Amino acid sequence: MALHLIKLCVGAESIRDLEEWIEERMRERRRQKLPQEQLHTTRMVPKRVEELLDGGSLYWVIKGQLACRQRLVAIRPFTDGEGISRCHLVMEPVVVPVSPRPYRPFQGWRYLTAKDAPPDLGDGSASAAEMPEELRRELASLGLL
């Protein structure tokens, strides 16, 4: 069964903001003739790599809500130029909105089991997927979505 990660999406105001950031990074990678993959650098290397790569995703918390996810395709530990161990989380550059859920701030990342992961929007909730993100966020905060 897949295992997931949760991480704060610092600086993003919305799912669209995250998508625009990813699009800009992909354009830059094309200009540099680099592989079309999205990398997120983290300090700690997850210990449960096999479970994460068995269909796992990185779930993003945006403005206090679990808002979307990206499928994990690789986890690459490396040492940076200053000799510090780090890790690239490699994700598909496709953002999938999920049923919003409040989430408190935290540092680093956390594991999320498949049974605790929110469903994707559009999986039986097409009307919610069509709502503007701000409306979904407000309805979720009121416990109505």
Side-chain angles (χ1 to χ4, degrees):
M1 185 182 300
L3 182 67
H4 309 288
L5 293 176
I6 301 175
K7 185 139 179 49
L8 297 181
C9 193
V10 178
E13 295 292 317
S14 65
I15 294 172
R16 183 66 202 141
D17 195 19
L18 173 61
E19 289 171 331
E20 290 171 357
W21 185 87
I22 292 167
E23 289 167 9
E24 176 58 32
R25 296 307 174 276
M26 292 298 106
R27 280 192 295 275
E28 183 61 31
R29 291 183 72 82
R30 272 192 297 280
R31 278 193 289 274
Q32 296 177 7
K33 299 187 185 327
L34 294 171
Q36 290 297 286
E37 58 186 13
Q38 183 193 353
L39 305 175
H40 179 76
T41 305
T42 161
R43 175 82 192 261
M44 302 301 292
V45 178
K47 304 234 183 294
R48 299 169 71 180
V49 173
E50 284 184 30
E51 293 171 271
L52 290 167
L53 297 179
D54 186 23
S57 292
L58 176 62
Y59 282 76
W60 290 111
V61 175
I62 300 175
K63 294 192 68 116
Q65 288 194 338
L66 204 54
C68 57
R69 68 177 182 85
Q70 290 180 269
R71 193 172 76 79
L72 289 164
V73 295
I75 296 175
R76 298 183 192 140
F78 70 99
T79 303
D80 70 12
E82 297 175 359
I84 299 171
S85 295
R86 299 202 183 274
C87 176
H88 280 144
L89 302 176
V90 184
M91 299 167 284
E92 284 184 349
V94 176
V95 177
V96 178
V98 298
S99 182
R101 178 187 303 166
Y103 216 90
R104 292 180 182 235
F106 59 93
Q107 290 186 346
W109 46 261
R110 302 285 183 266
Y111 289 114
L112 176 68
T113 63
K115 71 177 180 62
D116 293 330
D120 294 349
L121 284 180
D123 289 357
S125 58
S127 59
E130 295 168 5
M131 286 181 200
E133 182 179 352
E134 202 161 306
L135 178 59
R136 280 195 316 259
R137 186 179 297 283
E138 181 67 23
L139 289 173
S141 72
L142 295 170
L144 299 173
L145 186 61

